[in-house]
């Protein structure tokens, strides 16, 4: 079945440093979504990318969808302590009719003030 | 908009008893809802897809008689963990899709079976 992996599993940065998490799917995706889950909380939708090669920005966050629609990345510029949490990518397989998302393994970000 | 309410948020039950978790879409209709399970520091694992007015679709390895799902209306899906055992202790989260808002998640239910 479809597998979605993320690297790194964990990252500890100093406040102000940049952070990137990479997401790779074993199958081609119809779209990719990114979620943030704070410790003890539930996943919160950040963004959806649909087009091959698409790049979207939200303030300090930059999201990218690969040309082959099998990988994606999330880059945070100048991290802040409020960025702490686990970032999950999640995708739907293309052409399968499957409605559910498959979640990546997640990258846990810790920001040192 | 796009709020999904889930309760209870936390429940402790005795081994052998059943627990019902409710998931409601508050300001939109959801013909489909999804139930996930999450272990500490792990990703979300899809358990089943709940379909309004019809049977749920379970993922491979998930016991449908153990995890009963009912989606009786366009705004409510329930997950009942029957004859719970300590290994069923986990964080259960529901979600529903709402247009351009992606998938909205409930706040989750932390189940502890003692």
């Amino acid at each position: 079945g479809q597998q979605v992996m993320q690297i790194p599993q964990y990252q500890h940065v100093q406040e102000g440093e940049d952070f990137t998490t990479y997401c790779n799917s074993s199958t081609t995706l119809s779209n990719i979504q990114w979620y943030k889950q704070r410790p003890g909380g539930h996943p919160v939708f950040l963004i959806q990318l649909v087009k091959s090669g698409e790049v979207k920005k939200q303030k300090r966050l930059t999201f990218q969808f690969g040309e082959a629609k099998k990988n994606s990345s999330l880059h945070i510029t100048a991290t802040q302590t409020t960025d702490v949490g686990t970032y999950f990518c999640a995708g739907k397989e293309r052409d399968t009719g499957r409605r559910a998302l498959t979640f990546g393994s997640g990258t846990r970000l810790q920001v040192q003030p | 908009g796009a709020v999904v309410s889930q309760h209870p948020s936390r429940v402790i039950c005795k081994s052998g008893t059943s627990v019902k978790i409710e998931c409601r879409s508050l300001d939109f209709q959801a013909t489909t809802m999804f139930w996930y399970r999450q272990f500490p520091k792990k990703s979300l694992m899809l358990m089943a897809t709940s379909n309004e007015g019809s049977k749920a679709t379970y993922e491979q390895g998930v016991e449908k008689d153990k995890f009963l799902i009912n989606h009786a209306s366009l705004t409510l899906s329930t997950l009942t963990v029957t004859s719970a055992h300590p290994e069923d202790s986990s964080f259960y989260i529901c979600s529903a899709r709402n247009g351009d808002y992606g998938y909205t998640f409930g706040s989750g239910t932390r189940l502890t079976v003692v």
Side-chain angles (χ1 to χ4, degrees):
Chain A
Q2 181 191 24
Q3 291 190 346
V4 182
M5 300 301 295
Q6 279 181 255
I7 54 170
Q9 196 172 3
Y10 172 76
Q11 182 115 43
H12 188 141
V13 300
Q14 290 289 127
E15 191 170 21
E17 292 181 337
D18 292 356
F19 160 77
T20 305
T21 171
Y22 300 92
C23 174
N24 290 285
S25 170
S26 59
T27 59
T28 304
L29 302 170
S30 59
N31 63 62
I32 191 122
Q33 300 179 14
W34 284 90
Y35 292 81
K36 177 183 178 181
Q37 184 176 23
R38 293 181 185 273
H42 61 277
V44 174
F45 175 74
L46 294 177
I47 207 159
Q48 175 175 280
L49 303 170
V50 178
K51 298 176 185 176
S52 170
E54 189 170 12
V55 178
K56 285 188 176 179
K57 291 192 175 186
Q58 285 180 353
K59 297 182 180 178
R60 295 179 294 104
L61 277 61
T62 302
F63 303 85
Q64 199 164 9
F65 200 9
E67 293 291 339
K69 300 183 79 171
K70 294 180 73 172
N71 56 70
S72 181
S73 65
L74 158 60
H75 179 83
I76 302 178
T77 305
T79 54
Q80 299 175 358
T81 54
T82 53
D83 295 326
V84 165
T86 300
Y87 293 85
F88 292 100
C89 62
K92 284 206 300 183
E93 278 188 275
R94 196 177 65 180
D95 301 331
T96 63
R98 183 176 167 83
R99 292 166 293 174
L101 294 174
T102 299
F103 275 78
S105 41
T107 296
R108 191 156 58 95
L109 172 65
Q110 185 64 38
V111 180
Q112 183 81 34
Chain B
V3 176
V4 172
S5 173
Q6 184 176 344
H7 71 90
S9 58
R10 199 175 287 267
V11 57
I12 301 173
C13 71
K14 290 185 178 180
S15 234
T17 61
S18 295
V19 174
K20 181 187 280 190
I21 303 169
E22 289 190 351
C23 180
R24 293 180 187 273
S25 55
L26 295 187
D27 46 6
F28 66 102
Q29 293 182 334
T31 55
T32 304
M33 290 188 179
F34 306 93
W35 287 95
Y36 291 85
R37 184 174 180 175
Q38 187 177 33
F39 290 103
K41 297 184 180 179
K42 296 295 184 183
S43 186
L44 285 80
M45 300 300 298
L46 180 69
M47 297 175 66
T49 300
S50 170
N51 305 298
E52 187 267 333
S54 65
K55 291 183 180 180
T57 306
Y58 289 83
E59 294 299 295
Q60 195 172 7
V62 178
E63 298 176 59
K64 60 181 181 181
D65 296 329
K66 172 79 172 171
F67 299 100
L68 299 178
I69 289 173
N70 184 274
H71 195 151
S73 77
L74 287 171
T75 58
L76 174 64
S77 175
T78 61
L79 167 68
T80 301
V81 182
T82 63
S83 187
H85 290 284
E87 57 265 30
D88 298 324
S89 299
S90 191
F91 192 51
Y92 294 88
I93 317 178
C94 66
S95 78
R97 180 160 186 193
N98 179 32
D100 294 337
Y101 294 100
Y103 289 69
T104 303
F105 283 80
S107 52
T109 298
R110 191 162 302 282
L111 170 64
T112 303
V113 185
V114 297

